[in-house]
Amino acid sequence: MKKKIFSGVQPTGNLHLGNYLGAIKNFVELDKNNENECIFCVVDLHAITVNQDPRELKKNIYETVATFIASGINPKKSIIFNQSQVSAHSEAAWILGCTARMGWLNRMTQFKEKAGKDKEKASIGLYSYPVLMAADILLYDATHVPVGDDQKQHLELCRDIAQKFNNDFRVDELKIPEPLIKKDFSRIMSLKDGLKKMSKSELSDLSRINLTDEKDQIINKIKKAKTDPLPMPSNVNELDQRPEAKNLIGIFSSLSGMTLEKSVEKFSGENFSKFKEHLSQVLVDKIAPISEEIKKLINEKSYIEEILKKGCQKADEIASKKLKKIQKIVGF
Ligand code: TYM
């Protein structure tokens, strides 16, 4: 049976190494396998759950598409589209919002983190965000959803919503999707703090490698990346006590394709400065070409627009059929 893959990325600018290693790199591998049908969505409806400058948003939608293609996704094979142009997403989210329970949403840790101390001021959209995410996935009968570790709870919620909908209406309409989360590299941490997730919202640009960074910026950021005072670890078990070393070796391992064990062995007992030279090299080899390609593609506006137009048409065809079935089930 063909795997149906669905995943989404928010067009909020500054896509970074965490997005790449946790998600986009896996999208590329899945896209290359002819057994899979892949749909990759630029989730602009999700982006407006926090304030966005409309002009920046438009630019970031194009940049996200450019990043998918520059990373190696083939737009002739996979569907690439933006969520807001397929109205079934918003409509299905409303219906599924009537299946989801407040208690379930109250447990979402990402809402708590993003809303911060002043929950009263958070948008309703930020709160119900995981319901829209469930609609995204369920409209396409996705069997597998590749994401980073931070989306695991949202996927569990999606499964709960699908199950409850099927039970409530005694149907078997919504497919229960499986998460695809890489064991070792699903949570890339900040370069400034090995206990904090690498994120586009962290103030310091030195905390992350952006996919649009150039060679010199990458080298500089790795030079300044936080380490601990000990030499490089000599076995994998040591890594849990040394978050910065764990993160940097993890990045090296994921990009070089060398296992974590082999990577630890290779640099065992060395100074961090020596290891950082190797790490910078693999980063420059992998990220600098993507960065160059993104910059080239964002100037080819009509090419990007054409991809989105075709992608939206194909996505709309699938999603609107599914929405009709869902509407019929609830009695519309
Ligand atoms: P977003 O836009 O925050 O992130 C996009 C993808 O990047 C992963 N990611 C990371 N992985 C490893 N380490 C990190 N530091 C890191 N930071 C981000 C995320 O896990 C994600 O896979 N809600 C989603 C978008 C979404 C979606 C969907 C995903 C909307 N609908 C349906 C899957 C299916 C989000 O905000 O991702």
Side-chain angles (χ1 to χ4, degrees):
M1 225 189 48
K2 273 199 163 196
K3 278 189 192 159
K4 286 193 185 168
I5 311 290
F6 184 98
S7 197
V9 174
Q10 293 195 59
T12 37
N14 280 346
L15 288 184
H16 52 72
L17 189 67
N19 299 122
Y20 181 70
L21 295 181
I24 300 169
K25 182 168 175 272
N26 306 331
F27 299 175
V28 177
E29 281 164 23
L30 293 161
D31 165 272
K32 293 227 175 336
N33 184 337
N34 285 331
E35 292 296 298
N36 301 330
E37 270 171 32
C38 302
I39 305 180
F40 300 116
C41 183
V42 180
V43 293
D44 46 7
L45 294 172
H46 277 106
I48 62 161
T49 55
V50 295
N51 287 341
Q52 300 290 340
D53 172 339
R55 260 173 310 184
E56 279 293 305
L57 179 62
K58 182 124 195 154
K59 185 180 130 271
N60 289 336
I61 293 170
Y62 286 30
E63 192 172 309
T64 308
V65 177
T67 305
F68 285 170
I69 300 167
S71 303
I73 294 173
N74 177 0
K76 292 210 173 88
K77 186 162 173 281
S78 293
I79 298 177
I80 297 175
F81 76 106
N82 59 324
Q83 195 186 28
S84 62
Q85 302 308 300
V86 178
S87 61
H89 289 251
S90 311
E91 295 179 66
W94 180 263
I95 297 174
L96 297 176
C98 299
T99 297
R101 304 290 95 181
M102 291 277 286
W104 300 355
L105 285 170
N106 286 340
R107 284 198 284 276
M108 295 297 113
T109 51
Q110 195 167 81
F111 173 75
K112 290 180 198 161
E113 279 165 25
K114 285 200 176 169
K117 286 198 191 83
D118 202 353
K119 271 208 304 233
E120 300 287 313
K121 289 219 171 106
S123 72
I124 307 276
L126 190 66
Y127 181 71
S128 62
Y129 168 119
V131 178
L132 176 61
M133 182 163 159
D136 298 343
I137 298 166
L138 300 172
L139 278 172
Y140 298 89
D141 290 330
T143 58
H144 294 82
V145 183
V147 282
D149 181 69
D150 61 335
Q151 298 299 319
K152 196 171 168 189
Q153 201 186 25
H154 291 160
L155 278 184
E156 279 159 13
L157 182 89
C158 170
R159 290 164 60 92
D160 289 344
I161 292 175
Q163 227 136 24
K164 179 162 164 54
F165 183 92
N166 287 343
N167 286 343
D168 287 353
F169 295 100
R170 296 178 207 285
V171 291
D172 195 16
E173 185 57 45
L174 301 182
K175 283 249 152 21
I176 314 291
E178 293 294 330
L180 284 181
I181 300 176
K182 288 259 155 125
K183 195 174 125 269
D184 285 327
F185 317 113
S186 60
R187 200 172 183 83
I188 304 300
M189 310 310 269
S190 157
L191 299 179
K192 290 278 149 209
D193 179 351
L195 296 173
K196 232 164 123 185
K197 195 181 75 173
M198 183 178 285
S199 134
K200 42 194 151 196
S201 51
E202 191 170 332
L203 277 180
S204 167
D205 194 54
L206 290 173
S207 69
R208 61 184 163 260
I209 305 282
N210 300 307
L211 296 179
T212 46
D213 280 348
E214 287 171 8
K215 183 179 168 188
D216 293 347
Q217 287 169 294
I218 295 174
I219 294 171
N220 183 40
K221 286 178 180 180
I222 293 301
K223 236 184 225 153
K224 296 200 168 137
K226 187 176 169 199
T227 55
D228 58 39
L230 302 172
M232 292 292 288
S234 51
N235 71 65
V236 178
N237 299 333
E238 247 181 83
L239 294 178
D240 280 336
Q241 274 74 51
R242 301 181 58 187
E244 282 81 21
K246 181 178 182 180
N247 189 39
L248 295 177
I249 296 184
I251 294 172
F252 176 86
S253 161
S254 177
L255 286 171
S256 64
M258 196 182 276
T259 62
L260 202 59
E261 286 77 9
K262 276 255 150 60
S263 306
V264 169
E265 201 181 300
K266 181 173 164 75
F267 299 106
S268 165
E270 295 252 22
N271 287 332
F272 268 101
S273 56
K274 193 95 208 119
F275 162 69
K276 280 182 166 182
E277 284 171 21
H278 287 262
L279 176 59
S280 293
Q281 193 57 51
V282 281
L283 273 164
V284 168
D285 288 349
K286 297 276 171 179
I287 303 302
I290 294 178
S291 163
E292 241 171 72
E293 190 63 19
I294 294 173
K295 285 172 191 148
K296 208 178 96 199
L297 284 169
I298 42 180
N299 290 321
E300 295 177 29
K301 235 175 124 186
S302 53
Y303 173 62
I304 303 269
E305 278 167 356
E306 195 52 32
I307 288 169
L308 282 175
K309 193 170 146 215
K310 286 208 178 107
C312 287
Q313 274 165 0
K314 286 188 200 158
D316 190 58
E317 223 169 89
I318 306 170
S320 58
K321 268 193 205 132
K322 187 75 178 179
L323 177 67
K324 283 219 172 70
K325 288 187 187 164
I326 295 173
Q327 287 172 329
K328 198 164 166 215
I329 288 169
V330 300
F332 292 163

